[in-house]
Every structure is written in structure tokens, then in C-alpha cells.
Amino acid sequence: MTTLSNNRARYERIARRLRAVGATPSLLILFILMIYPMGTLLLLVAFPHAFDMTPSFRFSLSAFSGTFSDPGNASAIVNSLLFGVLSALLASILGVITAIGLARTRGIARTILRVCIWVVFFAPSYIIAQGWVILMQDNGILAQLFHMPNGFSGWFFSPTGLVVVMGFRYFPFVHFAVEQAIANIGGELVDAARLSGGKPARVLRSVILPLLLPALLAGTSIAFAEGFGDFGFAAAITPQMQIPLLSYQIYAALSQAPVNFSAAAVLSLVLLVVTGMALWLQFFILSRRGFATISTSQRPSVRMAGGKLWVVLAYGIALGSLILPMGATLCAALWKNMTSGIASNNWTFQHFNHALITGGGMAALGNSVAYALISGFAAAGLGLLISFQMSFVKTALNRVLSIIIIGSIAVPGVVMAAGFVLAWNGVWLIPLHLVLYGTPVCLSLAYIAGSLPYSIRLQMGALSQVSVNLLRAAQVLGAKRLRLLRVIVFPLIRGTVLSTWLLAFIGTFFELPASSLLYPPGQPPFPVLIAAKFNAFLWSQGSALTLLGMTILIAVYGLGQLIVRIRAWRIRTWRVALRVEKRVSSMRVEGS
């Protein structure tokens, strides 16, 4: 018996070691893509001379004093905090209105409203920002359409206008968080308040909004994090309005000569800390109270008073946030010149030809399509491998992987890009011939690092519905891990895998922070060229490229959805045929 127990204990130790080794490739992938870049960035905060030609790892806080002695950096932090808070508050108001308005609509009206909100959610912020600039500038689209005098939009090119535009860009984050919460509020709660003499406005203020607080805090905190660290608005607005923002200061520190690595690291740390504190504050507030609204006796969801007004306001917000900037972009792309307005002889496609042929648009488009394809396939494939490891191979290392993935989702894109600049440009990489900065490999890795955490989380959700007994049965028959993934797992969750591919492709195609900081010299990706056209005041060419890119993304998304629907139709057809076959078989048995 002693020998048997010793052998069993030895076998269990070996099995644990094998499981740990099985998680090592996943950890290595995350180390290259996330741990090493972010660790290098944080290392430079405490060791500011680690990137000198003669590296020194002497601890020093001089990076902080040098960074904060620059008035521009201090102003950028204050501005980003102020704009982040105000735009998040405005986004919370707009998001609640659109969520209530959506709850009051049905049929095609509901579909149109939902599509508008989703398009605003997916559209890159710098494209939305540039559309507003084209619309509101002197002699811009609005001035041409309504003969507005110069200076009519002075309020827009100010901090007030920036807060308004940011609020209209970030309200979908609040909308999606609040939408389901509104559906979960039972009608009996509102009826009780009304029977007690509460007016509709007071019921909304005293009953409905407090019950929406968890969802509202979640959406508002995300809106604040997006506004505080958004590089798209900073890249589009800062050159126009001369308002320093934190994310643009990080970009400027890495773009100047000589490069100020220490300032970029310290400012990135500030961005990470503030974002983390905003998310922590949400969890702290929610832990102090209960907000349960779903029960066994719940009746249909609440009906808001003034339903038509909510719908009108929701449509005004959704259509205004999409139609106004994108309509301005459309006009700028199709007008021969900005001073002739909507005259019949002022429409042309020549700006598309100039932007693509003579303006370098075709090469940039090809670069971004190639990067998006690489990022899509890598994120979907690696996400499948790592999510499988974390779902079905239980080790202590998996908890570490989960923490890394969740933390990576909260890292702003400009901070991740800064980490790649530092990590793959170190002097210690020269003897190893691994200086990847300024190469397509480095930019591809940055794109994959931005998409992989979302791919892993989405595929883990799909894998939770796969029975482990299927995998055990295949392993008993001798199937190895790669064959399990190819023959069993992938066919069962290929719809989710396709969705993650689409998410990575779309996110990469218009990604700006990593594209601006990491693209190889002379080979700008599509978003870098668009930003360069707008910064050079080539509004028509920039707008033409924007419309072309949005058309490609909509086509790719539509093709992906068509594939998913065809697959779902085939599955339903197969199930119907199987049920018919079973019924025919049972009838034959009964007849015999």
C-alpha cells in the first residue's frame, strides 16, 4: 500500500509539472506582447538612465521632477482630468436619454436607433473629431450651407466645444451599460411610487435613477477612462485648438529629438494610475449598497412618462453625433471646393483619385489591410490557444494569466504603444539583433497586443459552454491538443472565433496611437496618412480616405455577419433534417 501511495503521489507531482509546462507557451506569448513592454515602461520611472548608451540601473526619482517641471505636462494632466470628468458627466446624461428612448421604440425605428449608436461606438474618435472640425470651422460645411459669418463657432474651438464633442462621442459606453439595467427595472417599483403620490419627474429622480446607479457608474467610469486617455481627440484637436492633453504629451515626448523617454514613462504612469483609480472608485461605491431589481415576482419593465419626448431626444443625440460629423466628412470628400457649397457643379470624385494615386493612399491602404489581416488571424488563433489553456487546464499559473489579461484591457492604447517604443529600442537588444523598433514586426506585435486580450476573454466565454467530457473522450482515443482544437473545439465556437477576427481587423485598421509611434519610416499605415492629411489642412483628401476606410470596414463587417448567418441557417437546417429523420425512423419502427 505504501508503494502504491508513493507512486500515486509521484504521478500527481509529474502531472502538475506537465500542466504548468503546458501553460508556459501562453505565459511566453503574454510576456512578449504585454509584460515586457509594460514592465520596461514602469522600470524607466525608477531607473531613468536605463536607456542610456551606457545603461545605469541606479534608483532615482529625477524623472518625476524633470517631467512635472515642464508647465506643458502639468497643464496637460489638469486639462485631461477636467475634460475627462466633464465629458463623462455629459456622456452619462446622453447615454441615459438614448437608453430610455430605445426602450420606448419598437420595430424599424428601434433598429435604426441601435445601428446609429453602434456606428458611433465603433467609429475612431479622431475621425469623429475631424468631422466636427470640418463642420464647424470658418467657411466650413455649416457656414456654406447656412451662410454663417466668420467667428460663429468660436465657442466650439474652445474647451467648452471639446467637452461637448467628447460627450457625444463617449455616450455609447453609458448607453450600453444602462440599456439592460432599464429593462430589468420592474413595473411594480414605479407603480408603488406613483401610488404614493410621486410625480413622473420625481419617480425618475428618486426611484429609477438610483436603481440605475451600478450600470451608470460602470458606463461613466469607462467614459471617463476613454476621455482621459483618448489619443484620437488629442491628435485631432491639440494641433487645431492648442489645448495640451496628456495622451498627446506622451506622443510628443516620444516624437521629439532627442526622445524624452523619462517624461513618456512618467506621464504613462500617471495615465495608468488615474484610470485604475476611476475603475476602483466604481467598485468601492457599489460595494457599499445593494441594487437588486430582479425578483421572482417582477412584472414587465418600467414605462417612462413622456415616452415620445424620450424617443425624439434619443434620435436627436444618436443622429446628431453620427450624421453631423460624418455628413460633413462626406461633403468635404465630394465637393470640388469648400466655397461653392451644394451647387450642382460642385460635386466630384477627384479627391479620391488624388488621395489614392498621388497622395500615397493606395500604399497606406495596402499596409493597413495587411496589418489588419495579420492581427486578425494572430489574435483569433493565439486567443483560441490561450483561452483553451485557461479554460480546461487548471493551474495556479492560469490565475496569473487572467490578471495579466484583465489588466491589459485597462491599458490605454497610447501607453501600450509607448511601452513598445521603449521595450524594442533598448541598447541591450543590439548584441542580440532584436532591435525591432521601426520595423513592421514591432508594429504588428503592438497591434496583436491590443487585440489579443479581448479575443481571449470572448473565446473563454464561448468555451465555457463546451463540455469537458467531449475533450476527455477524444483524449482517450489518442487525440493531441492541437487536434482537439482543430477537430472539436474550433467547429463548436467558430462563430465566436470569427467575431474576434472581425474585432481585431476593425480595431487594427483604424488604430492610431501604435500606428503613429511605431510605423516603419516611409511606410505609413492608413490612419497615419489620414491624420497627416487633416493636419496639413487637406480636408478633402483626408475625408475621401476616411470614407473609403469606413466603406471597407462596413463591407468586411457585413461579410462577416453574412457568414455567421449562413452558418446559423445551415445548423438550423441540419437540426430540422435530423428531427425529420428521427421521426421517419420511429414511424418505420411503429409500422413494422
Side-chain angles (χ1 to χ4, degrees), residues 410-443:
V411 176
V414 67
V415 174
M416 183 65 75
F420 269 82
V421 172
L422 300 175
W424 299 107
N425 198 32
V427 295
W428 56 81
L429 297 175
I430 298 176
L432 302 175
H433 302 286
L434 286 177
V435 179
L436 301 179
Y437 173 70
T439 66
V441 175
C442 185
L443 182 54

Tab-separated table of all heavy atoms in Angstrom, residues 410-443:
chain	number	residue	atom	x	y	z
A	410	ALA	N	-7.326	47.265	-19.551
A	410	ALA	CA	-7.468	48.610	-18.990
A	410	ALA	C	-6.345	49.552	-19.395
A	410	ALA	O	-6.396	50.738	-19.054
A	410	ALA	CB	-7.530	48.530	-17.463
A	411	VAL	N	-5.326	49.067	-20.122
A	411	VAL	CA	-4.199	49.920	-20.506
A	411	VAL	C	-4.564	50.725	-21.753
A	411	VAL	O	-4.932	50.140	-22.779
A	411	VAL	CB	-2.946	49.071	-20.788
A	411	VAL	CG1	-1.806	49.963	-21.295
A	411	VAL	CG2	-2.522	48.326	-19.534
A	412	PRO	N	-4.496	52.054	-21.705
A	412	PRO	CA	-4.791	52.858	-22.906
A	412	PRO	C	-3.838	52.531	-24.044
A	412	PRO	O	-2.680	52.141	-23.820
A	412	PRO	CB	-4.615	54.294	-22.413
A	412	PRO	CG	-4.777	54.221	-20.930
A	412	PRO	CD	-4.239	52.892	-20.526
A	413	GLY	N	-4.314	52.716	-25.275
A	413	GLY	CA	-3.519	52.367	-26.435
A	413	GLY	C	-2.224	53.144	-26.542
A	413	GLY	O	-1.190	52.589	-26.938
A	414	VAL	N	-2.231	54.424	-26.188
A	414	VAL	CA	-1.022	55.218	-26.304
A	414	VAL	C	0.026	54.758	-25.294
A	414	VAL	O	1.240	54.809	-25.580
A	414	VAL	CB	-1.348	56.719	-26.118
A	414	VAL	CG1	-1.809	57.019	-24.696
A	414	VAL	CG2	-0.153	57.579	-26.491
A	415	VAL	N	-0.401	54.263	-24.120
A	415	VAL	CA	0.545	53.759	-23.132
A	415	VAL	C	1.166	52.452	-23.614
A	415	VAL	O	2.377	52.226	-23.486
A	415	VAL	CB	-0.148	53.573	-21.773
A	415	VAL	CG1	0.790	52.917	-20.767
A	415	VAL	CG2	-0.632	54.910	-21.242
A	416	MET	N	0.345	51.559	-24.164
A	416	MET	CA	0.880	50.316	-24.705
A	416	MET	C	1.873	50.598	-25.829
A	416	MET	O	2.926	49.961	-25.918
A	416	MET	CB	-0.269	49.443	-25.213
A	416	MET	CG	0.172	48.079	-25.734
A	416	MET	SD	0.884	47.001	-24.466
A	416	MET	CE	-0.621	46.519	-23.586
A	417	ALA	N	1.543	51.550	-26.698
A	417	ALA	CA	2.461	51.906	-27.783
A	417	ALA	C	3.764	52.470	-27.238
A	417	ALA	O	4.852	52.159	-27.752
A	417	ALA	CB	1.784	52.902	-28.722
A	418	ALA	N	3.683	53.299	-26.193
A	418	ALA	CA	4.901	53.837	-25.581
A	418	ALA	C	5.759	52.720	-25.008
A	418	ALA	O	6.996	52.753	-25.098
A	418	ALA	CB	4.533	54.842	-24.487
A	419	GLY	N	5.100	51.709	-24.415
A	419	GLY	CA	5.837	50.565	-23.903
A	419	GLY	C	6.584	49.836	-25.001
A	419	GLY	O	7.738	49.401	-24.802
A	420	PHE	N	6.000	49.703	-26.176
A	420	PHE	CA	6.678	49.045	-27.288
A	420	PHE	C	7.849	49.870	-27.796
A	420	PHE	O	8.876	49.315	-28.206
A	420	PHE	CB	5.685	48.767	-28.419
A	420	PHE	CG	5.024	47.425	-28.316
A	420	PHE	CD1	3.934	47.229	-27.483
A	420	PHE	CD2	5.500	46.346	-29.034
A	420	PHE	CE1	3.321	46.000	-27.374
A	420	PHE	CE2	4.903	45.107	-28.944
A	420	PHE	CZ	3.819	44.918	-28.110
A	421	VAL	N	7.705	51.187	-27.791
A	421	VAL	CA	8.820	52.039	-28.212
A	421	VAL	C	10.029	51.804	-27.313
A	421	VAL	O	11.174	51.662	-27.778
A	421	VAL	CB	8.408	53.524	-28.191
A	421	VAL	CG1	9.620	54.416	-28.440
A	421	VAL	CG2	7.339	53.793	-29.235
A	422	LEU	N	9.790	51.752	-26.014
A	422	LEU	CA	10.878	51.570	-25.060
A	422	LEU	C	11.420	50.147	-25.087
A	422	LEU	O	12.626	49.928	-25.074
A	422	LEU	CB	10.394	51.917	-23.648
A	422	LEU	CG	9.882	53.350	-23.434
A	422	LEU	CD1	9.318	53.507	-22.045
A	422	LEU	CD2	11.001	54.345	-23.659
A	423	ALA	N	10.518	49.167	-25.118
A	423	ALA	CA	10.926	47.771	-24.960
A	423	ALA	C	11.775	47.278	-26.115
A	423	ALA	O	12.724	46.508	-25.911
A	423	ALA	CB	9.680	46.889	-24.818
A	424	TRP	N	11.454	47.696	-27.337
A	424	TRP	CA	12.135	47.143	-28.500
A	424	TRP	C	13.114	48.134	-29.127
A	424	TRP	O	13.445	48.029	-30.302
A	424	TRP	CB	11.108	46.686	-29.525
A	424	TRP	CG	10.219	45.611	-28.973
A	424	TRP	CD1	8.915	45.736	-28.603
A	424	TRP	CD2	10.590	44.258	-28.711
A	424	TRP	NE1	8.441	44.538	-28.118
A	424	TRP	CE2	9.442	43.610	-28.174
A	424	TRP	CE3	11.758	43.525	-28.860
A	424	TRP	CZ2	9.450	42.274	-27.792
A	424	TRP	CZ3	11.772	42.190	-28.486
A	424	TRP	CH2	10.636	41.571	-27.959
A	425	ASN	N	13.575	49.077	-28.274
A	425	ASN	CA	14.566	50.053	-28.731
A	425	ASN	C	15.732	50.132	-27.758
A	425	ASN	O	16.533	51.072	-27.817
A	425	ASN	CB	13.908	51.434	-28.874
A	425	ASN	CG	14.723	52.380	-29.727
A	425	ASN	OD1	15.410	51.963	-30.650
A	425	ASN	ND2	14.659	53.658	-29.405
A	426	GLY	N	15.828	49.172	-26.843
A	426	GLY	CA	16.855	49.202	-25.812
A	426	GLY	C	18.231	48.843	-26.341
A	426	GLY	O	18.378	48.041	-27.277
A	427	VAL	N	19.243	49.432	-25.721
A	427	VAL	CA	20.618	49.167	-26.161
A	427	VAL	C	21.019	47.730	-25.888
A	427	VAL	O	21.912	47.188	-26.565
A	427	VAL	CB	21.594	50.142	-25.468
A	427	VAL	CG1	21.320	51.559	-25.917
A	427	VAL	CG2	21.495	50.037	-23.945
A	428	TRP	N	20.397	47.081	-24.897
A	428	TRP	CA	20.744	45.693	-24.595
A	428	TRP	C	20.273	44.723	-25.684
A	428	TRP	O	20.661	43.572	-25.710
A	428	TRP	CB	20.151	45.282	-23.244
A	428	TRP	CG	18.662	45.460	-23.157
A	428	TRP	CD1	17.709	44.630	-23.624
A	428	TRP	CD2	17.979	46.554	-22.561
A	428	TRP	NE1	16.454	45.123	-23.372
A	428	TRP	CE2	16.596	46.312	-22.704
A	428	TRP	CE3	18.389	47.722	-21.912
A	428	TRP	CZ2	15.629	47.189	-22.229
A	428	TRP	CZ3	17.428	48.583	-21.437
A	428	TRP	CH2	16.077	48.327	-21.600
A	429	LEU	N	19.415	45.205	-26.584
A	429	LEU	CA	18.943	44.355	-27.675
A	429	LEU	C	19.881	44.366	-28.883
A	429	LEU	O	19.754	43.520	-29.771
A	429	LEU	CB	17.548	44.813	-28.132
A	429	LEU	CG	16.429	44.719	-27.095
A	429	LEU	CD1	15.155	45.324	-27.647
A	429	LEU	CD2	16.197	43.269	-26.696
A	430	ILE	N	20.815	45.332	-28.916
A	430	ILE	CA	21.704	45.448	-30.072
A	430	ILE	C	22.575	44.207	-30.254
A	430	ILE	O	22.657	43.655	-31.365
A	430	ILE	CB	22.564	46.724	-29.967
A	430	ILE	CG1	21.663	47.973	-29.976
A	430	ILE	CG2	23.586	46.790	-31.098
A	430	ILE	CD1	22.421	49.273	-29.783
A	431	PRO	N	23.248	43.687	-29.208
A	431	PRO	CA	24.056	42.475	-29.416
A	431	PRO	C	23.219	41.264	-29.837
A	431	PRO	O	23.743	40.355	-30.491
A	431	PRO	CB	24.713	42.246	-28.047
A	431	PRO	CG	24.636	43.550	-27.352
A	431	PRO	CD	23.392	44.202	-27.839
A	432	LEU	N	21.938	41.252	-29.467
A	432	LEU	CA	21.080	40.119	-29.808
A	432	LEU	C	20.406	40.280	-31.163
A	432	LEU	O	19.664	39.385	-31.595
A	432	LEU	CB	19.992	39.960	-28.727
A	432	LEU	CG	20.482	39.752	-27.290
A	432	LEU	CD1	19.295	39.730	-26.327
A	432	LEU	CD2	21.296	38.475	-27.180
A	433	HIS	N	20.624	41.434	-31.815
A	433	HIS	CA	19.997	41.729	-33.105
A	433	HIS	C	18.468	41.662	-32.999
A	433	HIS	O	17.795	41.137	-33.877
A	433	HIS	CB	20.479	40.760	-34.185
A	433	HIS	CG	21.974	40.768	-34.370
A	433	HIS	ND1	22.635	41.800	-35.009
A	433	HIS	CD2	22.927	39.879	-33.976
A	433	HIS	CE1	23.940	41.541	-35.015
A	433	HIS	NE2	24.144	40.387	-34.392
A	434	LEU	N	17.935	42.215	-31.905
A	434	LEU	CA	16.498	42.200	-31.663
A	434	LEU	C	15.916	43.603	-31.524
A	434	LEU	O	14.868	43.781	-30.899
A	434	LEU	CB	16.183	41.388	-30.389
A	434	LEU	CG	16.296	39.871	-30.508
A	434	LEU	CD1	16.035	39.207	-29.151
A	434	LEU	CD2	15.327	39.331	-31.544
A	435	VAL	N	16.580	44.591	-32.086
A	435	VAL	CA	16.029	45.946	-32.074
A	435	VAL	C	14.934	45.996	-33.140
A	435	VAL	O	15.200	46.201	-34.329
A	435	VAL	CB	17.118	46.993	-32.337
A	435	VAL	CG1	16.502	48.392	-32.336
A	435	VAL	CG2	18.221	46.896	-31.292
A	436	LEU	N	13.682	45.828	-32.701
A	436	LEU	CA	12.561	45.735	-33.628
A	436	LEU	C	11.868	47.068	-33.869
A	436	LEU	O	11.013	47.160	-34.759
A	436	LEU	CB	11.534	44.723	-33.097
A	436	LEU	CG	12.035	43.298	-32.881
A	436	LEU	CD1	10.908	42.420	-32.341
A	436	LEU	CD2	12.589	42.711	-34.169
A	437	TYR	N	12.204	48.076	-33.080
A	437	TYR	CA	11.531	49.370	-33.239
A	437	TYR	C	11.789	49.922	-34.648
A	437	TYR	O	12.913	49.902	-35.164
A	437	TYR	CB	12.039	50.365	-32.200
A	437	TYR	CG	11.522	51.766	-32.394
A	437	TYR	CD1	10.187	52.072	-32.160
A	437	TYR	CD2	12.367	52.776	-32.845
A	437	TYR	CE1	9.704	53.358	-32.353
A	437	TYR	CE2	11.899	54.069	-33.033
A	437	TYR	CZ	10.566	54.345	-32.787
A	437	TYR	OH	10.092	55.621	-32.990
A	438	GLY	N	10.722	50.425	-35.279
A	438	GLY	CA	10.832	50.949	-36.627
A	438	GLY	C	10.716	49.896	-37.706
A	438	GLY	O	10.982	50.192	-38.877
A	439	THR	N	10.300	48.693	-37.335
A	439	THR	CA	10.123	47.615	-38.307
A	439	THR	C	8.654	47.188	-38.333
A	439	THR	O	7.917	47.402	-37.364
A	439	THR	CB	10.984	46.395	-37.953
A	439	THR	OG1	10.513	45.820	-36.722
A	439	THR	CG2	12.439	46.799	-37.782
A	440	PRO	N	8.204	46.561	-39.421
A	440	PRO	CA	6.820	46.057	-39.461
A	440	PRO	C	6.532	45.028	-38.376
A	440	PRO	O	5.392	44.902	-37.936
A	440	PRO	CB	6.715	45.441	-40.862
A	440	PRO	CG	7.760	46.140	-41.672
A	440	PRO	CD	8.883	46.422	-40.722
A	441	VAL	N	7.563	44.292	-37.931
A	441	VAL	CA	7.355	43.282	-36.888
A	441	VAL	C	6.903	43.936	-35.596
A	441	VAL	O	5.967	43.463	-34.925
A	441	VAL	CB	8.642	42.463	-36.667
A	441	VAL	CG1	8.467	41.497	-35.497
A	441	VAL	CG2	9.020	41.705	-37.927
A	442	CYS	N	7.557	45.019	-35.205
A	442	CYS	CA	7.204	45.714	-33.958
A	442	CYS	C	5.780	46.245	-34.020
A	442	CYS	O	5.009	46.099	-33.063
A	442	CYS	CB	8.190	46.846	-33.696
A	442	CYS	SG	7.953	47.692	-32.124
A	443	LEU	N	5.409	46.853	-35.136
A	443	LEU	CA	4.052	47.386	-35.266
A	443	LEU	C	3.024	46.256	-35.259
A	443	LEU	O	1.960	46.387	-34.638
A	443	LEU	CB	3.944	48.199	-36.559
A	443	LEU	CG	2.597	48.871	-36.835
A	443	LEU	CD1	2.169	49.748	-35.668
A	443	LEU	CD2	2.663	49.696	-38.123
